[in-house]
């Protein structure tokens, strides 16, 4: 690809989108970014305001399901690199409202692929489309099973994972059928700044700071392979600029951790960085609740290919990354206040945790 990249980031007001835009602008001074997001939830406005990107970034509020709008953005801004992140992303929400996930993740991906196909032509040699996906498409791993790699068969087990799997299949089919320069990435659990507190790590910090219980699903022994969002963004950039059309790369932190252990690490950091008024530990707020239906027990990712072919390696260890993340949330009071005041967020907490009985 040549210099002067003009990038489109879909889902640009989301957690990874915001971090990716900052990473891209800092990495290449000749690059400009257009981001699109539907801005479904009130908190995303607060996130965009807080991110305060420089003038090389333009935000457009738009729905990826609107193929005409996507095509116009690709044309008007002479986009030559797309990072497609827009999606419904929370497994628990997918259990409550699966249809929205199929619409956004499957049909929405179809529409953005069609828009890309319609403008692909004159600038073929310099164009790329990076479809950003998840390790959840591979399903769950047994305790001693080898980690997922690029050859692992898809076996999604939640509506979210199934809808992402459908999107991945479409992206790969478009690459082959229409000979489009599309790459796919599958990443493990991300954490870091701007993650919305419906996901485990920010929810635990959010509740702890409010003195509220920390709900751990089931026995808390499920394992996730945590990766700092900055390392994911670095991987996406390398995949888009060094990878070849049709390739897949997996990214993971190589730091498999049980949920209960992770929540304990967060509590210890909070005890140190924001001690409780009563002198007790935040760990006293942990309680077990009914498990997530179909809860995947273990994810682990083998990133050997990305390490070998892209020269990628995670730079941030889990302990250091969690410390940085807790510090970011402690300094993001106004952002958290905006979220707490969001009726939609409070409704979600009531929906997901309201009737959930405590266990053990
Ligand atoms: P997020 O929920 O924070 O952000 C997703 C963004 O997409 C939101 O801002 C949302 O408004 C936007 N969006 C949803 N529907 C849209 C539509 N119809 N049109 C335009 N925008 C729309 O999620 P995230 O964690 O930033 O995830 C981004 C991508 O990365 C997703 O595709 C996800 O599957 C993938 N991923 C996430 C992780 C993770 O751990 N967070 C790991 C691997 C892959
Ligand atoms: O693996 C990548 C995926 O990671 C991404 O594709 C998803 O978009 C992202 O949401 C994430 O999915 P998880 O379901 O693993 O993340 P979540 O933060 O929701 O949960 C992490 C673990 O913590 C999981 O085992 C469920 C558990 N959990 C979660 C919540 C919200 C709890 O025990 N209590 C909770 O309240």
């Amino acid at each position: 690809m040549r210099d002067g990249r003009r990038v489109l980031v879909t889902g640009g007001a989301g957690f990874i989108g915001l971090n990716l835009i900052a990473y891209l602008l800092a990495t290449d001074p000749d690059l400009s970014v257009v981001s699109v997001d539907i801005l479904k939830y009130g908190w995303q406005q607060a996130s965009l305001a807080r991110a305060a990107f420089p003038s090389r970034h333009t935000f457009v509020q738009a729905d990826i399901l609107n193929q005409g709008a996507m095509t116009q953005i690709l044309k008007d801004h002479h986009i030559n690199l797309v990072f497609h992140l827009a999606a419904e992303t929370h497994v628990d929400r997918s259990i409550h409202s699966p249809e929205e996930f199929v619409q956004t993740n499957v049909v929405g991906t179809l529409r953005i692929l069609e828009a890309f196909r319609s403008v692909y032509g004159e600038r073929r040699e310099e164009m790329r489309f990076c479809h950003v996906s998840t390790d959840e498409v591979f399903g769950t791993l047994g305790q001693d099973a080898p980690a997922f790699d690029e050859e692992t068969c898809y076996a999604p087990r939640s509506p979210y994972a199934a809808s992402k799997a459908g999107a991945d299949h479409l992206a790969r089919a478009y690459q082959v059928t229409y000979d489009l320069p599309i790459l796919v990435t599958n990443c493990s659990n991300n954490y870091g700044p701007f993650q919305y507190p419906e996901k485990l790590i920010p929810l635990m910090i959010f509740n702890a700071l409010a003195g509220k219980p920390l709900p751990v699903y089931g026995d808390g022994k499920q394992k996730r392979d945590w990766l700092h969002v900055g390392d994911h963004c670095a991987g996406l950039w390398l995949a888009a600029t060094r990878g070849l059309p049709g390739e897949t790369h997996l990214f993971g932190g190589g730091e498999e951790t049980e949920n209960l252990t992770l929540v304990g690490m967060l509590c210890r950091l909070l005890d140190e960085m924001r001690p409780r008024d009563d002198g007790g530990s935040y760990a006293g707020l942990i309680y077990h609740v009914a498990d997530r239906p179909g809860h995947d027990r273990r994810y682990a990712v083998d990133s050997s290919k990305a390490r070998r072919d892209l020269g990628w390696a995670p730079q941030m260890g889990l302990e250091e990354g969690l410390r940085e993340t807790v510090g970011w949330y402690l300094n993001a009071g106004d952002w958290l206040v905006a979220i707490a005041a969001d009726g939609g967020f409070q409704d979600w907490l009531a929906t997901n945790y309201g009737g959930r009985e405590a266990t053990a």
Side-chain angles (χ1 to χ4, degrees):
M1 292 178 67
R2 292 205 298 268
D3 280 342
R5 291 184 181 92
R6 293 170 299 278
V7 182
L8 173 65
V9 176
T10 71
F15 160 49
I16 301 174
L18 289 162
N19 282 282
L20 179 63
I21 295 165
Y23 181 89
L24 295 170
L25 293 171
T27 298
D28 184 344
D30 295 325
L31 169 156
S32 58
V33 180
V34 177
S35 65
V36 300
D37 200 290
I38 194 169
L39 299 185
K40 191 167 169 183
Y41 305 109
W43 63 275
Q44 290 153 339
Q45 292 281 9
S47 300
L48 274 173
R50 191 176 181 87
F53 294 122
S55 57
R56 285 184 290 131
H57 168 254
T58 306
F59 176 74
V60 182
Q61 183 171 2
D63 186 342
I64 55 162
L65 284 158
N66 185 342
Q67 190 177 315
M70 292 304 113
T71 306
Q72 206 58 50
I73 289 167
L74 291 169
K75 280 186 183 161
D76 288 351
H77 297 273
H78 305 284
I79 299 296
N80 51 22
L81 173 55
V82 179
F83 288 100
H84 175 43
L85 288 85
E88 292 287 345
T89 63
H90 192 23
V91 173
D92 292 321
R93 283 189 191 265
S94 84
I95 294 166
H96 289 274
S97 342
E99 179 142 358
E100 287 172 43
F101 283 70
V102 174
Q103 279 301 324
T104 302
N105 299 356
V106 183
V107 183
T109 297
L110 174 76
R111 299 265 162 83
I112 186 84
L113 286 168
E114 273 296 301
F116 184 76
R117 182 163 85 94
S118 73
V119 302
Y120 181 67
E122 294 150 29
R123 291 172 284 115
R124 326 173 56 94
E125 79 289 349
E126 55 173 311
M127 290 186 84
R128 283 285 187 279
F129 185 110
C130 181
H131 172 71
V132 179
S133 190
T134 169
D135 62 354
E136 300 212 8
V137 295
F138 301 118
T140 189
L141 283 170
Q143 189 58 35
D144 300 316
F148 307 130
D149 65 21
E150 286 74 9
E151 305 306 319
T152 305
C153 289
Y154 275 30
R157 289 161 34 96
S158 72
Y160 163 67
S163 65
K164 290 296 291 186
D168 295 9
H169 290 321
L170 277 172
R172 293 197 177 96
Y174 266 61
Q175 191 277 316
V176 173
T177 305
Y178 303 112
D179 193 21
L180 296 176
I182 298 171
L183 310 96
V184 177
T185 62
N186 299 86
C187 188
S188 64
N189 285 64
N190 284 211
Y191 67 96
F194 285 115
Q195 190 169 28
Y196 190 45
E198 60 186 3
K199 308 285 173 68
L200 179 70
I201 290 179
L203 178 76
M204 294 298 142
I205 299 172
F206 182 86
N207 277 8
L209 293 177
K212 292 188 176 155
L214 310 180
V216 171
Y217 295 163
D219 63 6
K221 293 188 183 300
Q222 305 81 8
K223 287 182 175 172
R224 295 293 183 266
D225 182 350
W226 295 97
L227 180 71
H228 190 270
V229 65
D231 283 321
H232 185 191
C233 294
L236 293 177
W237 174 244
L238 289 171
T241 53
R242 295 187 186 170
L244 294 173
E247 276 197 301
T248 295
H249 291 97
L250 265 55
F251 302 111
E255 301 215 54
E256 266 186 72
T257 308
E258 284 185 358
N259 290 342
L260 207 46
T261 305
L262 186 87
V263 175
M265 290 168 80
L266 289 170
C267 289
R268 277 195 298 284
L269 284 165
L270 283 164
D271 288 343
E272 176 195 325
M273 295 164 80
R274 181 68 60 84
R276 288 177 70 178
D277 291 343
D278 63 7
S281 169
Y282 289 96
L285 297 171
I286 295 173
Y287 80 126
H288 292 260
V289 296
D291 209 350
R292 172 186 279 175
H295 199 170
D296 288 341
R297 196 72 182 162
R298 176 180 167 233
Y299 302 147
V301 166
D302 177 351
S303 305
S304 313
K305 181 182 173 198
R307 289 171 184 264
R308 187 184 64 239
D309 294 356
L310 302 178
W312 175 84
Q315 302 299 309
M316 183 82 88
L318 185 59
E319 182 74 40
E320 182 193 3
L322 288 181
R323 178 176 289 278
E324 184 227 60
T325 302
V326 170
W328 187 88
Y329 280 87
L330 290 178
N331 284 314
D334 49 343
W335 186 74
L336 290 174
V337 166
I339 291 170
D342 183 334
F345 179 59
Q346 294 301 334
D347 288 349
W348 166 249
L349 294 182
T351 301
N352 196 46
Y353 299 96
R356 207 163 194 143
E357 79 276 18
T359 58

